[in-house]
Structures are given as structure tokens and as C-alpha cells.
Amino acid sequence: MGKGRLEAFSDGVLAITIMVLEMKVPHGTGWADLRPLVPVFLSYVLSFVYVGIYWNNHHHLLHAAHKINGKVMWANNHLLFWLSLLPFSSGWMGENHFAPLPTALFGLDLLMAAVAYYILTRSLISLHGKKSTIGSSIGAERKEKVSMLIYAASVPLAFIAGWISLLLYTAVAVLWLIPDKRIELKLAEELGPHEQR
């Protein structure tokens, strides 16, 4: 089964997710009127960065795929579901000035998206084989596993010290800010110097 429709559908869902992220315009015209929006703005930026990170890495992942099957399609839908909740979880967190429960829910959303991305990569490796471009380039998945552990720790930490959870969410975003180069490097290696032009 070809992957074109899956890529187009995923791009559409991610674009809609970005469009749903919102900040309400303040009713005043002074700097003081913007101050209450600072938490909303910070949660907006963090969510936007996360959607961008997933879009970049999803693009690289599907670029290396040659085919998909039903398992991959459902794994992809699972990922898109959790990513589509980011506007809600981040908006609730920002509107409530990083209160414990909304901050924990945002972390749970990030954790579930990370788990879903892991399942998607495993599904693609299972379909293409461990010696395929995807299988040989992803390897040990240290960044993925570390990210999931940090998210899992951040959820209960939100009830103790929410600012620590926010720092950890930001740290994981920084870790992934540069798109995952493993697949890109493997594809370049397979193409060779003549075909890369």
C-alpha cells in the first residue's frame, strides 16, 4: 500500500492542530493587559514547538518508508489523536497559569504522543525489517526512551513543583529541536554521492 495518502492526511491533521492553537486578544491597550497572557503565550510556544518537532520527525520517518499497512495506519492515527489534543491540554495549562492538574495533563498528553510515536516506528520497522533504512537508522532509540521517562516523571512532579515539570517539558523539546538526523543520514549513505545531487 502506498504512503502518499497517509502523509497528506497527517500533514492536514498537524496543520489543523496548529490552527486550533490560539491566544485571545486582550481587551486593553497597555502592557499591563498583556501580563495575564504570558502563561498562555508560553504554553502556546511550547505546543507549537512540539507540533513542529513531531511534523519534522514524522516527515523523515515516512520519507524512509516504502510502504504502509493497516497496522501502520492505525499507529499513525494513534499518534495524531494525541497530537490533536495538544491545543486543549496546553491551552488549559496556560489559561490556569500552570496549575498542577493542567500541567500534569499536558505532560500526560506529551507522554502518550511519545508512546504513540514509538509504536509507529516499531510498526514501520516490523513492516520493513530491521535491516531496512528505518530499522537500521533508528537503532536503540535512546532519545525516545529518555523522553518518555522524563514525561512519566514530570506528570506526578506537576503536583509537587509545576515549574520543574515545565522545565523538563522544555528540556525534552530542546533535545528534539533539531530534527532526528538518523534517518536522513542513512538515506544519504544509501544514495551515495552521485545520487544526492
Side-chain angles (χ1 to χ4, degrees), residues 80-91:
L80 295 176
F81 172 76
W82 293 108
L83 292 178
S84 72
L85 289 177
L86 278 176
F88 172 78
S89 63
S90 69

Side-chain angles (χ1 to χ4, degrees), residues 11-72:
D11 285 348
V13 169
L14 292 172
I16 290 167
T17 300
I18 287 174
M19 290 180 354
V20 172
L21 289 171
E22 70 173 358
M23 289 193 340
K24 293 181 178 145
V25 177
H27 294 289
T29 58
W31 289 110
D33 299 309
L34 292 174
R35 195 171 296 121
L37 291 179
V38 170
V40 175
F41 176 72
L42 293 175
S43 65
Y44 174 89
V45 169
L46 193 56
S47 292
F48 187 89
V49 167
Y50 266 109
V51 171
I53 288 166
Y54 273 102
W55 181 78
N56 281 323
N57 288 309
H58 188 270
H59 167 76
H60 284 101
L61 188 64
L62 289 184
H63 185 68
H66 300 294
K67 57 188 174 183
I68 61 167
N69 61 12
K71 184 178 177 183
V72 169

Side-chain angles (χ1 to χ4, degrees), residues 120-156:
L120 177 60
T121 60
R122 295 284 104 200
S123 299
L124 283 164
I125 291 170
S126 173
L127 179 62
H128 289 83
K130 290 185 179 182
K131 293 185 179 182
S132 67
T133 301
I134 294 172
S136 60
S137 61
I138 290 179
E141 299 178 324
R142 280 186 288 271
K143 274 173 62 172
E144 291 88 340
K145 291 175 182 173
V146 166
S147 299
M148 286 188 275
L149 284 172
I150 291 172
Y151 294 142
S154 298
V155 171

